[in-house]
Amino acid sequence: MAKKYLFWTLTTLLILIAGYVLTSTVILPVVNKNPLPEAALPSAEVKGENNAKKQEKGENTSKKNEKADKNSKKTSVKVQSVPEPEEAGTGSEDDLMKLFELKKTEMLLRAQYNLSSEDSIYLVLDLINKVATLEMKGIPLHDSNIKEVWVSNSIKMFHNEALLHWIAQPFVLKNAVATIVRVPFIVKNAPKDTIEANKSEVLPSARKTEDVYIVMNFERNLQLVIQQSEISDGENKMRIDSLRNSYVKREIDKSIKALSTLKREAIMPKIVITVPKSDAIILYRALPQKPRMVLKM
Amino acid sequence: METEDKSWFRKYAPWIIPVLIGCWIPTIVLYTPDYQNAAYGMKSFFTSTLNAKSIGVRNIEKQIQSSKSNIAALENRLNELLPDKPYILINTTENRFVLRNSKDTLRTGMCSTGKDEILIYPNGTRKPFKTPKGLFTVQLKRKNPVWTKPDWAFIEEGLKPPSAHAAERYDEATLGAYALSIGDGYMLHGTLYQRFLGLPVTHGCVRLGDADLEVIFNTLDKGAKVFIY
């Protein structure tokens, strides 16, 4: 009888522990999408994450920050690092938050300024003011008002310093998948004579485009999804759903793999913006093959 | 003997799964803290309180001031990037243009851009009709421009292209009253087909309505920037 109680107590306990482990390491990160991408952190920062004492003292970062300060004074604009750490210091939480916000603004402006020296169109995604702007040479070409923004919890949970490092430099697109083509070319054979030319002449009309859902995977482990605000149905909806589900499938695969390897690849933080269909098409087609993006958040 | 085996199995079988789980879980549990800190940013979740001591920031006020002045300087630099002369933006997706001076909009309207078509010549050559995207400058301004029709203009109509300087190549009507050349044979010009404005129908040039074209011609100087996206 006693053995029976012991058996069920142990079994329940072990199941609870198993449930906790699975929930905290596999299920929650997938549901909340909260892991910090390793690529977002510079090596010193990763060390700091693993070693709380080192982080408190800020030993590793002080030299690096001094270098960064020197670099920032040069004409070529480089990323300025986080505030100078030192053994002792003063300042309230409000002051620090203010400083972080200022540093963030400064870094984003630097990134934007650096991009303006390039010869291609880039995207400035301002999640604070909910505007996606196409820019070139510092000139705003097109503003798209974002109707809805969804940001992964993983990004919301970034430590301020990690966030600064993560967004300080422009994101470069690795690859993109979309329900529309980038250049909708129509191939036409030249007519043999004028009669055939007159026959084939069709009055032009505004082209109908399919519903828009664009998945853009950027370097530093960021996924940006641009979706149209108009409701889609039928075949279009199926295509969009299959693209949408591919993200969840990939993350579940990573989690399953983690059960055997005990090491889960970092979840890809995701930002979803909803814009009018016309704007989504403009954003996708105006950007070059490997565009850069400044993320303001 | 057989009955003994069965009873042994009955006695211990229920323990097999818990024991297996019991061995597997500690491994994961031991791994979890490092796992969560390094990969999941759980640390950031628990370190909610910020203070200067914990991360060791010195001269915070000085840094705030320095950051503010840097921001102001960068904003100035970004503002300086705006052209000091009027410029035009061409939206090839919506077939619209915006004429601007600094941040002020002078005029907006419809235009026609490339039809995104590839014409295959009888000899197999592929000729794309697409408006190029990027930054261009007005290189030449002409009143009453004459269009020297290229080969594709004939091939598209099922005609054989004439010799290089044949009279049929010169067309005085198609380009309208004004043309602004932006290089590589591309132009901003007028059109005989005003009803198609707002549609992608051209071979790569940007067609404009008569009234808009006149304003643009008079506003944009040689060297003015033309942004096509």
Side-chain angles (χ1 to χ4, degrees):
Chain A
M1 193 67 178
K3 272 189 179 177
K4 196 179 171 185
Y5 280 119
L6 183 67
F7 167 72
W8 283 112
T9 314
L10 275 173
T11 309
T12 314
L13 200 67
L14 287 168
I15 286 168
L16 284 175
I17 295 170
Y20 162 74
V21 172
L22 280 176
T23 310
S24 62
T25 61
V26 178
I27 298 165
L28 265 181
V30 174
V31 175
N32 295 325
K33 304 175 180 66
N34 75 357
L36 184 70
E38 288 170 42
L41 292 170
S43 54
E45 201 73 22
V46 175
K47 279 179 192 170
E49 287 288 335
N50 291 332
N51 190 337
K53 284 179 186 175
K54 275 189 183 178
Q55 195 186 36
E56 278 174 21
K57 287 179 184 175
E59 287 167 358
N60 289 339
T61 42
S62 62
K63 285 178 186 175
K64 196 181 163 191
N65 290 330
E66 279 167 22
K67 275 185 187 173
D69 284 344
K70 281 177 191 172
N71 285 342
S72 67
K73 285 171 190 170
K74 290 179 187 173
T75 327
S76 61
V77 189
K78 286 187 177 177
V79 178
Q80 202 170 15
S81 191
V82 290
E84 278 180 37
E86 209 207 20
E87 285 157 15
T90 54
S92 64
E93 191 175 339
D94 285 347
D95 282 345
L96 273 169
M97 284 310 294
K98 195 178 169 185
L99 180 60
F100 275 123
E101 285 304 316
L102 287 169
K103 288 281 176 195
K104 194 167 77 180
T105 311
E106 189 186 333
M107 284 175 169
L108 293 172
L109 285 172
R110 275 181 205 285
Q112 213 172 330
Y113 184 75
N114 285 346
L115 277 184
S116 68
S117 63
E118 293 182 8
D119 288 330
S120 58
I121 299 172
Y122 52 89
L123 179 66
V124 179
L125 187 59
D126 186 345
L127 298 183
I128 302 160
N129 299 313
K130 288 193 170 182
V131 185
T133 308
L134 286 172
E135 278 193 16
M136 189 181 190
K137 296 279 177 194
I139 314 293
L141 305 179
H142 183 86
D143 287 334
S144 302
N145 288 322
I146 301 171
K147 294 197 168 179
E148 270 176 55
V149 178
W150 183 90
V151 180
S152 289
N153 285 344
S154 55
I155 299 175
K156 289 179 194 164
M157 282 173 66
F158 273 9
H159 191 283
N160 281 336
E161 288 171 72
L163 184 67
L164 277 185
H165 283 289
W166 194 59
I167 62 174
Q169 284 178 321
F171 290 86
V172 184
L173 185 78
K174 278 200 298 189
N175 54 58
V177 191
T179 53
I180 55 165
V181 289
R182 194 180 283 277
V183 186
F185 270 125
I186 294 170
V187 180
K188 189 180 151 188
N189 285 313
K192 286 170 191 165
D193 49 36
T194 48
I195 300 163
E196 197 182 308
N198 288 334
K199 273 184 189 171
S200 64
E201 203 167 293
V202 185
L203 282 178
S205 59
R207 279 183 197 166
K208 278 186 182 176
T209 45
E210 291 158 332
D211 288 342
V212 188
Y213 190 84
I214 305 154
V215 182
M216 301 169 108
N217 296 318
F218 286 87
E219 282 175 0
R220 299 212 298 286
N221 216 16
L222 171 68
Q223 186 174 80
L224 171 68
V225 174
I226 302 174
Q227 64 180 13
Q228 65 176 45
S229 51
E230 291 85 348
I231 296 163
S232 53
D233 51 10
E235 201 181 314
N236 282 318
K237 193 174 182 298
M238 280 172 68
R239 288 187 65 195
I240 290 171
D241 284 346
S242 100
L243 268 179
R244 193 175 281 147
N245 293 337
S246 65
Y247 172 82
V248 181
K249 275 181 196 165
R250 194 173 54 241
E251 293 306 331
I252 288 173
D253 283 349
K254 281 183 190 174
S255 298
I256 292 169
K257 204 177 157 192
L259 286 174
S260 58
T261 59
L262 298 180
K263 193 169 186 179
R264 194 187 187 286
E265 287 173 48
I267 278 183
M268 188 175 265
K270 188 171 163 183
I271 295 172
V272 183
I273 58 167
T274 309
V275 294
K277 185 177 176 177
S278 55
D279 281 342
I281 298 169
I282 291 170
L283 290 177
Y284 185 55
R285 293 197 171 148
L287 289 169
Q289 289 288 334
K290 294 280 174 192
R292 285 162 191 266
M293 178 182 73
V294 176
L295 179 62
K296 292 184 176 180
M297 59 184 298
Chain B
M1 191 67 181
E2 275 181 16
T3 48
E4 264 182 36
D5 280 351
K6 274 185 183 174
S7 63
W8 181 89
F9 184 75
R10 273 191 206 132
K11 199 174 172 184
Y12 293 104
W15 291 88
I16 294 170
I17 292 171
V19 166
L20 283 175
I21 295 174
C23 295
W24 175 64
I25 284 173
T27 325
I28 294 182
V29 172
L30 284 172
Y31 185 70
T32 301
D34 182 42
Y35 184 56
Q36 287 179 338
N37 281 338
Y40 291 89
M42 292 300 284
K43 193 174 177 60
S44 64
F45 182 74
F46 293 112
T47 53
S48 57
T49 311
L50 274 173
N51 60 63
K53 272 188 179 176
S54 71
I55 58 167
V57 178
R58 71 172 177 186
N59 298 332
I60 192 162
E61 280 174 17
K62 200 178 166 186
Q63 286 203 50
I64 286 175
Q65 287 309 316
S66 139
S67 200
K68 275 182 182 172
S69 62
N70 285 344
I71 288 169
L74 281 163
E75 280 172 344
N76 278 339
R77 281 194 212 168
L78 280 167
N79 281 332
E80 281 166 13
L81 292 171
L82 283 172
D84 47 4
K85 288 177 182 174
Y87 59 97
I88 191 168
L89 310 177
I90 313 265
N91 177 343
T92 60
T93 309
E94 291 189 320
N95 287 287
R96 294 193 68 83
F97 76 87
V98 180
L99 184 65
R100 275 198 200 150
N101 188 9
S102 191
K103 283 181 179 171
D104 304 324
T105 299
L106 303 176
R107 196 178 178 96
T108 61
M110 286 193 293
C111 62
S112 282
T113 59
K115 53 184 168 181
D116 292 338
E117 188 178 281
I118 294 174
L119 181 71
I120 302 177
Y121 290 5
N123 65 5
T125 309
R126 295 163 76 91
K127 174 70 185 169
F129 297 132
K130 184 180 184 296
T131 302
K133 288 171 184 167
L135 172 60
F136 302 85
T137 51
V138 174
Q139 297 181 358
L140 196 68
K141 290 173 69 176
R142 280 185 294 166
K143 279 186 184 175
N144 301 316
V146 176
W147 182 36
T148 309
K149 289 168 93 173
D151 286 354
W152 57 255
F154 296 96
I155 293 168
E156 195 183 32
E157 289 177 4
L159 299 167
K160 201 179 170 189
S163 60
H165 300 289
E168 303 100 283
R169 286 212 182 249
Y170 301 104
D171 181 340
E172 293 178 357
T174 301
L175 299 185
Y178 308 96
L180 297 93
S181 175
I182 56 170
D184 290 334
Y186 294 102
M187 285 182 277
L188 273 64
H189 60 73
T191 178
L192 297 170
Y193 309 102
Q194 305 264 334
R195 64 186 185 281
F196 294 152
L197 288 172
L199 298 171
V201 292
T202 79
H203 299 89
C205 287
V206 179
R207 294 181 192 168
L208 295 152
D210 291 342
D212 292 331
L213 181 63
E214 189 172 358
V215 173
I216 289 167
F217 186 84
N218 292 326
T219 311
L220 295 183
D221 293 330
K222 199 177 162 186
K225 289 180 175 173
V226 178
F227 293 92
I228 303 178
Y229 65 96

